[in-house]
Amino acid sequence: MSSTFETVAGIISETCDIPREKITPASHAIDDLGIDSLAFLDIAFAVDKAFGIKLPLEQWTQEVNEGKAPAEQYFVLENLCARIDGLVAAKTA
Amino acid sequence: MRLEYFEMIDMVTLFDAAQQRIVCRATVPDASPVFEGHFPGHPLVPGVLLTETMAQASGYLVLGLNRLSQMPFLMAVDKARFRTFVEPGAVLVIEAALTVEGSGYAATKASITADGKPVCDAELRFRLMPFPAELGALMRQRTAAIGLVPEAVTS
């Protein structure tokens, strides 16, 4: 998770021009870092490329919009990184 | 091409769903109000319109692959290079290939050639969204007009 977080934090910092030190595992991408949906697609593109996965962003967004899942589940970075690790593990299993 | 109406693609000459690739053709008009300003007495197709041309070819590729289920909107242009000038009357061949099919976005590599020589190339990304009202029907008309009919596409 820690190396996943370092990679994701670096991507967010570079993509959204956010100082790296402001990005922590507890950061909420939307509420704390101010990342909008368009910028998150940029992040997803870089994450997909870096980890060789496909973040199911549309599914996550739908679940959040329909109240089936709290946004924190996907957009707090430590949770996002755990999901990335899960997708990577599923790919290599 | 009808530059002032942003109709950049005249026809689709190849749509390969298996290879996720499209080839289009467009002829630059001999006259257009665009050339009155770009540049007076020295007409050249602006680089932004060549970028738009690559974006439209890529967009039609995405529409063909998703069978017009979502509308691609240009969200990023990377590594754009313009390698030669394009003058009125030029016949352009526009190619685009899907590089990433993400969730909610798609990425392509696109290029334009004229007389077999490279004109420009870029890496493009599109946000995929539900069709705004009325646009779905208009895009179906437009894709049919340029020869891209996803319903008829096999593979």
Side-chain angles (χ1 to χ4, degrees), chain B residues 7-108:
Chain B
E7 290 181 3
M8 316 306 282
I9 303 298
D10 293 339
M11 69 173 80
V12 174
T13 55
L14 174 75
F15 175 80
D16 187 333
Q19 296 294 318
Q20 300 181 317
R21 178 171 165 264
I22 196 170
V23 181
C24 306
R25 188 181 173 96
T27 301
V28 179
D30 290 330
S32 165
V34 169
F35 297 137
E36 292 172 18
H38 195 280
F39 295 97
H42 189 70
L44 296 173
V45 179
V48 289
L49 294 185
L50 294 172
T51 303
E52 174 66 19
T53 303
M54 291 189 286
Q56 289 193 13
S58 298
Y60 288 127
L61 170 64
V62 173
L63 285 170
L65 292 173
N66 73 21
R67 295 177 179 265
L68 285 95
S69 62
Q70 287 181 302
M71 179 69 188
F73 291 97
L74 183 64
M75 64 171 278
V77 179
D78 291 330
K79 299 180 184 174
R81 295 291 183 274
F82 303 92
R83 303 180 188 283
T84 191
F85 297 126
V86 177
E87 298 178 349
V91 177
L92 306 179
V93 175
I94 309 105
E95 296 193 38
L98 192 76
T99 55
V100 181
E101 184 182 12
S103 176
Y105 76 89
T108 68

Side-chain angles (χ1 to χ4, degrees), chain B residues 60 63 68 71 131-145:
Chain B
Y60 288 127
L63 285 170
L68 285 95
M71 179 69 188
F131 277 100
E134 316 260 331
L135 189 54
L138 289 170
M139 290 311 297
R140 282 187 184 280
Q141 286 175 14
R142 183 68 192 140
T143 52

Side-chain angles (χ1 to χ4, degrees), chain A residues 37-39 41-46 48-49 53-59, chain B residues 70 75-76 78 99-105 107 123 125-129:
Chain A
S37 59
L38 193 57
L41 282 179
D42 263 336
I43 293 166
F45 173 68
D48 286 356
K49 199 157 70 170
I53 58 173
K54 180 174 173 178
L55 285 181
L57 263 191
E58 290 179 302
Q59 178 196 327
Chain B
Q70 287 181 302
M75 64 171 278
D78 291 330
T99 55
V100 181
E101 184 182 12
S103 176
Y105 76 89
E123 296 179 10
R125 260 178 292 147
F126 299 83
R127 179 180 203 169
L128 304 180
M129 300 181 72

